[in-house]
Amino acid sequence: MILSNDTDRIWLFDYDLTLYAESERAVLNSLDRRIALYVQQVANIDYDHAQEIRKRYWKEYGTTLAGLRAVYGVTPNDFFDFIHQPETLVYPDFAPQKRALLEILKGPKYIFTNGRSDWSRKGSSKMGILDCFERIVGLEDMNWDGKPQVSAYETMEKVLEYDGFWKKGDDPSRIVLLDDALHNLRPAHDRGWKTVWVNPISEENGSFTDFRIPDLMDLLKLLG
């Protein structure tokens, strides 16, 4: 199957483990460590138990933050201010090859992320690709209710409408979401968006994935 690359396309990219690869997992690991430390502090538990809760909340609620808000009533900006400590974090490498790929894609491009936008802004700037995107739609733009909550996708469509690239009644398959998290693709598929699962590891698949690639650079193969 070929994914057409034309001016009517709207490209939405998750940030973590999508714009940068599984080979740079140290980036996400550095953030996950801070998240576990935050869980440890809020729940008053040991670090290993905090890591377990971090992962469990991600699976059950879509994001660890959503679980912390539901169970402990934490404030999102307190959470992000704690985990986004620059001296403790790792960022992706400069990636001119990804810039070249993004420049090939016709139509507007966005970062659509479950993180607060300063995290992906800093990282994509380090990669040298920040200016390839119209804007970053971060968790704060979704009223802190991120993917896979339906409201997150509704917000993204409103942003596209506001920016003049899409409106209700348009063909939803013009919108392409690339994401490493399988559960984030189902609501997009249900809305009629095209879905690309970026995952080099799992053998799992879903009827709601239109395409699967192991790495963002493999998008070139889909474009034919």
Side-chain angles (χ1 to χ4, degrees):
M1 293 176 65
I2 299 298
L3 180 61
S4 65
N5 179 24
D6 55 57
T7 54
D8 282 339
R9 284 288 187 212
I10 299 168
W11 303 89
L12 310 181
F13 295 85
D14 180 51
Y15 173 64
D16 290 303
L17 298 182
T18 300
L19 280 176
Y20 65 86
E22 173 68 31
S23 60
E24 292 187 276
R25 180 170 274 275
V27 176
L28 185 59
N29 287 346
S30 72
L31 189 68
D32 283 346
R33 180 179 180 278
R34 292 294 298 175
I35 294 173
L37 288 171
Y38 186 85
V39 174
Q40 181 181 16
Q41 175 180 288
V42 169
N44 193 26
I45 55 178
D46 64 69
Y47 181 78
D48 290 341
H49 190 194
Q51 281 282 27
E52 293 174 7
I53 289 179
R54 176 187 67 78
K55 295 173 184 177
R56 176 157 57 85
Y57 284 179
W58 183 83
K59 289 180 180 178
E60 292 179 2
Y61 293 91
T63 64
T64 303
L65 173 61
L68 290 171
R69 292 180 71 196
V71 178
Y72 294 99
V74 305
T75 302
N77 279 319
D78 286 345
F79 170 81
F80 284 112
D81 288 346
F82 181 92
I83 69 173
H84 290 175
Q85 294 297 316
E87 67 276 7
T88 69
L89 299 177
V90 177
Y91 294 98
D93 293 332
F94 182 59
Q97 76 282 7
K98 289 184 178 174
R99 182 180 184 89
L101 167 63
L102 291 168
E103 289 177 341
I104 287 171
L105 299 178
K106 300 174 183 177
K109 295 170 281 290
Y110 289 78
I111 295 176
F112 181 34
T113 174
N114 274 353
R116 197 172 67 180
S117 58
D118 52 318
W119 167 242
S120 52
R121 182 175 295 108
K122 179 79 169 182
S124 56
S125 178
K126 292 279 190 181
M127 295 171 73
I129 61 174
L130 177 59
D131 63 327
C132 294
F133 301 98
E134 298 291 331
R135 67 162 100 175
I136 298 170
V137 178
L139 198 59
E140 68 272 33
D141 301 306
M142 306 174 223
N143 197 31
W144 308 111
D145 293 321
K147 301 171 287 184
Q149 301 300 317
V150 171
S151 59
Y153 305 82
E154 292 173 344
T155 295
M156 188 68 240
E157 289 180 356
K158 289 175 183 176
V159 168
L160 297 178
E161 188 169 5
Y162 180 84
D163 288 352
F165 295 119
W166 192 84
K167 63 181 182 299
K168 288 192 180 298
D170 285 356
D171 179 4
S173 68
R174 291 174 50 210
I175 304 173
V176 182
L177 174 62
L178 297 94
D179 203 304
D180 70 294
L182 191 59
H183 60 251
N184 289 342
L185 296 176
R186 184 189 293 274
H189 179 269
D190 290 344
R191 301 185 78 79
W193 299 5
K194 290 292 184 184
T195 57
V196 181
W197 190 25
V198 185
N199 190 307
I201 298 174
S202 177
E203 295 300 322
E204 186 182 4
N205 210 336
S207 59
F208 44 89
T209 57
D210 294 304
F211 304 94
R212 178 177 176 179
I213 54 177
D215 183 276
L216 181 63
M217 293 306 299
D218 291 298
L219 181 59
L220 286 168
K221 298 175 184 177
L222 293 186
L223 301 179

